[in-house]
Amino acid sequence: MTMEQTLESIYRRTKWFRDARFGMFIHWGLYAIPGKGEWIRSHQSLSIEDYQPYFEAFNPTHYNPRQWAKEAKAAGMKYMVLTAKHHDGFCLFDSAYTDYKATNTKIGRDLVAEFVEAVRAEGLKVGLYYSLLDWHHPDYPKYGDPYHPMRNHPDFKDEDVDFDHYVSYLHHQVEELVTKYGKLDILWFDFSYEGKKGEDWRASELIHMVRKYQPDVLVDNRLEASGEGFGSLVTDHIQSYSGDFVSPEQILPHQGIRNCKGDLVPWELCLTMNNSWAYNPTDLAYKSPKTFIRKLVECVSKGGNMILNVGPNALGEFPKAAREILKEIGIWLEQYGEAIYENGLVNLPKPEWGYYTQKGSTIYAHVFEQPIGPLALPGITEAEVKRMSFLHDGSEVCISNSWTTTTYPDMLFAQYGDVPHFTYPLPNEMDSVIKIERGIEGGLPD
């Protein structure tokens, strides 16, 4: 029998997560060698034998997780999640239940152990990703499965597999992750689909075991859903294995994510820098730092987090383009992080020029577009404003009493510069933030 949890208990457990708002995802494994994505075995129908040369070649001699953690911290990220095992079944950790692991490659080390130690040393929260799928395990169903590399191979049509044996293997490995590496802050499962979701994974039993060893660990919603699904977290009956946050992938929810009663639930956008999760040297379609900053702001304004992915190369290094993007994001957050961390949505109309975020009674106006005169502040009244200032330098932003605004007596306007109907450049073209301190009680739910 499955047990249920409440949105209130989830909100208590996710407090640090919702305050953090920004994290790093790392997709890394054997697939960094061919450089065609973590789904290469599925997309190219590669057998275990076809894939074996990458296992034999794996030797990331430049792997330095402390450097990864330093770059994540400098980028303003507060937590990191690493793929301990992806769909191909290869383990970056020293599992007692398989030989298919990093300690049996040329590198000969438990890479997860080094990762968690490095992340903690930089004062960041630590997370591990574990795929529920496993294309290497002999008892994972193959023929007819929607995703398995051998799904169409006739040699596996009549194969007899013991799926329950595989699920036990899954449980054993998760138990290793939650007992061998100290306190984990996030356990990121991926993913469920028809015939393999919820109790198909013996999910109640699995979560009971996880909570036994790691009562405070945050779990995503993919024991019963995938990137396009929400699961029971948005219903009246939140199962024990529903997870603590919804994980939309590569799409930013229009109004955040709410349950059937309209209550906001914790959520996290997972997003790639280019079009690839894993290292792909031919994918040069990197999004700009401006895009990531603005999407982070949008996530926070809708009550969500953003976890931004990096795919290290086969040597264990972050790509140069990714490092440059992280540096630019970090520069912005160093000045404007006050308007991101511990912030959340504002129950005010969305302004046309950008977004609002809120911390306590203070509202932050994230201005993306150059105003052509006074800046309208919808939903805010002059009576409640104690002070307005630019966040980056503390300089005063005045309330505008320009003749150009008299037609709109119910709208508050902020004034840039000395002459209200002149156009003045924004301090930061990616996102200029006005701090609006109010003399009213307000705040976000704990």
Side-chain angles (χ1 to χ4, degrees), residues 183-203:
K183 185 180 187 299
L184 299 181
D185 301 295
I186 299 175
L187 188 58
W188 220 102
F189 290 112
D190 194 25
F191 63 92
S192 294
Y193 55 103
E194 194 60 39
K196 295 179 180 63
K197 63 171 60 176
E199 293 299 3
D200 296 320
W201 306 118
R202 305 205 306 262

Side-chain angles (χ1 to χ4, degrees), residues 204-427:
S204 296
E205 176 189 340
L206 180 64
I207 286 298
H208 179 77
M209 179 268 290
V210 167
R211 296 283 182 218
K212 173 184 174 183
Y213 296 113
Q214 301 272 356
D216 299 321
V217 70
L218 304 188
V219 179
D220 68 320
N221 68 324
R222 295 196 183 187
L223 277 168
E224 60 176 358
S226 61
E228 72 275 12
F230 295 164
S232 64
L233 189 51
V234 297
T235 72
D236 272 333
H237 303 288
I238 306 174
Q239 302 293 352
S240 62
Y241 53 80
S242 71
D244 299 294
F245 60 93
V246 177
S247 55
E249 184 171 332
Q250 305 284 54
I251 188 167
L252 210 160
H254 179 60
Q255 292 182 323
I257 296 178
R258 298 178 182 272
N259 64 13
C260 58
K261 297 179 179 178
D263 300 320
L264 189 75
V265 300
W267 60 274
E268 173 190 65
L269 169 68
C270 45
L271 183 64
T272 55
M273 283 195 170
N274 46 13
N275 293 312
S276 305
W277 289 101
Y279 180 65
N280 185 338
T282 65
D283 182 359
L284 303 179
Y286 283 88
K287 306 168 189 73
S288 69
K290 177 195 289 188
T291 295
F292 292 126
I293 289 166
R294 292 186 174 188
K295 291 307 172 187
L296 174 59
V297 168
E298 186 177 349
C299 284
V300 175
S301 78
K302 296 176 178 179
N305 286 28
M306 188 173 90
I307 186 167
L308 182 58
N309 184 75
V310 178
N313 64 26
L315 295 177
E317 302 166 320
F318 285 0
K320 181 181 178 182
R323 296 177 68 186
E324 291 174 349
I325 290 168
L326 291 172
K327 184 177 179 180
E328 289 300 313
I329 295 172
I331 290 171
W332 185 87
L333 278 168
E334 188 174 2
Q335 283 193 314
Y336 297 102
E338 180 185 325
I340 297 294
Y341 309 122
E342 302 178 27
N343 275 248
L345 62 81
V346 186
N347 291 316
L348 296 176
K350 180 196 174 304
E352 293 182 353
W353 37 256
Y355 291 93
Y356 289 134
T357 60
Q358 179 177 352
K359 177 162 54 179
S361 61
T362 299
I363 290 177
Y364 300 90
H366 296 258
V367 186
F368 295 170
E369 296 183 9
Q370 176 67 56
I372 58 171
L375 183 78
L377 299 172
I380 302 174
T381 64
E382 182 173 349
E384 68 191 82
V385 175
K386 288 175 59 180
R387 182 173 186 268
M388 296 195 297
S389 59
F390 278 119
L391 185 56
H392 71 285
D393 65 0
S395 60
E396 183 180 37
V397 175
C398 298
I399 292 174
S400 177
N401 294 307
S402 168
W403 63 268
T404 60
T405 67
T406 55
T407 309
Y408 311 97
D410 296 327
M411 179 69 73
L412 176 67
F413 290 83
Q415 178 174 318
Y416 279 64
D418 297 327
V419 183
H421 55 278
F422 282 11
T423 298
Y424 296 91
L426 291 170

Side-chain angles (χ1 to χ4, degrees), residues 70-81:
K70 287 180 183 295
E71 293 192 47
K73 185 175 182 178
M77 292 155 160
K78 302 297 185 181
Y79 57 97
M80 299 177 72
V81 179

